[in-house]
Amino acid sequence: MRRPYARHRNGARKALANHAAALSAPPPALYRYRPVQGRLKRIAVMRRALTTLTVSRHEVQETEIIAIQLRSALRACCPPSFANALADSPLFVEIVSAARDDARARFEKDPAAHRDVSAILQRDPSFNAVLQYRLAHAMANDAEPSSAIGCYADLISSRSKLLSGADIHPRARIGRRFVLGHGAGTTIGETTVIGDDCHLLGGVTLGAAAITWNRSARRHPILGDRVQIGAFARLLGDIRIGDGVLIGPRCVITQDVPSDSAVIVRPSGRMTRAPDERPCALLALTTRAR
């Protein structure tokens, strides 16, 4: 005959035995380290693992926010069947990836971001303009302007203009990690080409030189990589801007600018820096600023 509570005592003995076996077992791979390396090595491994998990969590959160905003734009401007089909396509993943690069570039270059990427993704109208451009461009890239998809792309572009004040043509070509700061009043024409890592401030115009009788061919500027353009600058016509060019505020550019140059306007006249000069060495042009 069993004594009362014998079953509970046996269960307690088994639990203690399992606990002792767990203590004597080798640690998991994440915490395993050589005795000569000591406790600090294990702490370093743990910190690296936690950092990787944190970065992955932030990336997932950013991707979800971007996907929600893109789906919202699709549902506002497209039929539900088309919006759902595009949201489930591989093209949608490419759009989200490009938009994440834009947000990261804005986060790194803009001190007003206050170290918060989610604030840029959710509340920044300038980034919203770039985000909706990515979506409209992906739709209009291979579609005829008069087709239904082309009309959907134009609607998304118009929605972006209403929400942000930036007029970016959906058929303009913009590279990766594009930053548009204070985009109200910015105009980017249809045949404009912008390279990677470019930064534009508010009120910039990348337009055609003529008012009427514009050609149907290329009529807008081509920007290289790492170009920075200040507020209210005007770049007009089919001109080439080289890599690493800095264009100051309120400049009016109608000619090609070589790579690694700077063009600014001062009260004494328009200044430019030669490619082979030091950053502080400026050469004056004969054109006077009005």
Side-chain angles (χ1 to χ4, degrees), residues 109 178-183 186-188 192-195 197-207 221-236 239-253 257 261-264:
K109 295 179 180 180
F178 176 64
V179 177
L180 178 62
H182 308 287
T186 297
T187 302
I188 300 177
T192 302
V193 178
I194 300 177
D197 302 297
C198 291
H199 193 163
L200 274 63
L201 295 183
V204 172
T205 298
L206 306 179
I222 299 177
L223 276 59
D225 299 335
R226 304 178 306 281
V227 175
Q228 303 177 57
I229 303 179
F232 303 105
R234 306 288 188 265
L235 283 70
L236 306 176
I239 58 177
R240 269 67 172 173
I241 308 299
D243 297 339
V245 170
L246 171 63
I247 298 176
R250 298 189 179 277
C251 289
V252 180
I253 308 296
V257 178
S261 301
V263 181
I264 62 175

Side-chain angles (χ1 to χ4, degrees), residues 22-287:
L23 292 178
S24 61
L30 179 62
Y31 304 101
R32 189 175 301 157
Y33 64 100
R34 297 179 181 178
V36 295
Q37 293 176 331
R39 182 170 173 269
L40 295 178
K41 181 64 176 180
R42 184 179 67 174
I43 293 176
V45 172
M46 293 172 60
R47 285 179 176 175
R48 284 198 298 269
L50 292 175
T51 302
T52 303
L53 293 175
T54 304
V55 171
S56 301
R57 185 175 69 250
H58 290 168
E59 290 178 353
V60 170
Q61 183 181 9
E62 295 167 9
T63 302
E64 291 177 352
I65 295 174
I66 293 173
I68 289 172
Q69 293 191 357
L70 291 175
R71 290 192 183 99
S72 176
L74 282 172
R75 291 166 183 166
C77 303
C78 306
S81 58
F82 178 83
N84 295 332
L86 182 58
D88 296 335
S89 66
L91 180 62
F92 191 80
V93 178
E94 297 178 4
I95 299 171
V96 172
S97 176
R100 276 196 68 251
D101 292 344
D102 296 332
R104 278 289 168 183
R106 178 68 181 270
F107 174 74
E108 295 172 359
K109 295 179 180 180
D110 190 359
H114 301 297
R115 311 298 298 175
D116 189 0
V117 181
S118 61
I120 297 175
L121 297 175
Q122 295 176 343
R123 304 190 295 269
D124 192 341
S126 300
F127 172 76
N128 190 268
V130 179
L131 176 67
Q132 297 193 60
Y133 156 78
R134 296 291 185 191
L135 177 61
H137 176 74
M139 296 168 58
N141 194 24
D142 297 327
E144 293 293 332
S146 58
S147 64
I149 298 178
C151 294
Y152 300 155
D154 292 337
L155 286 175
I156 293 174
S157 180
S158 300
R159 180 178 186 267
S160 170
K161 182 179 179 180
L162 290 174
L163 294 176
S164 64
D167 187 2
I168 307 177
H169 200 282
R171 290 174 180 81
R173 291 191 293 168
I174 301 179
R176 308 282 290 195
R177 298 173 294 278
F178 176 64
V179 177
L180 178 62
H182 308 287
T186 297
T187 302
I188 300 177
E190 178 184 11
T191 60
T192 302
V193 178
I194 300 177
D196 297 334
D197 302 297
C198 291
H199 193 163
L200 274 63
L201 295 183
V204 172
T205 298
L206 306 179
I211 299 176
T212 57
W213 304 105
N214 279 309
R215 299 173 300 163
S216 59
R218 182 173 303 282
R219 58 192 181 277
H220 296 103
I222 299 177
L223 276 59
D225 299 335
R226 304 178 306 281
V227 175
Q228 303 177 57
I229 303 179
F232 303 105
R234 306 288 188 265
L235 283 70
L236 306 176
D238 184 12
I239 58 177
R240 269 67 172 173
I241 308 299
D243 297 339
V245 170
L246 171 63
I247 298 176
R250 298 189 179 277
C251 289
V252 180
I253 308 296
T254 58
Q255 298 177 357
D256 295 349
V257 178
S259 299
D260 300 318
S261 301
V263 181
I264 62 175
V265 172
R266 289 184 176 176
S268 59
R270 182 170 299 176
M271 314 289 287
T272 182
R273 187 185 76 221
D276 55 347
E277 295 288 337
R278 293 178 301 175
C280 60
L282 298 175
L283 300 178
L285 297 180
T286 56
T287 304

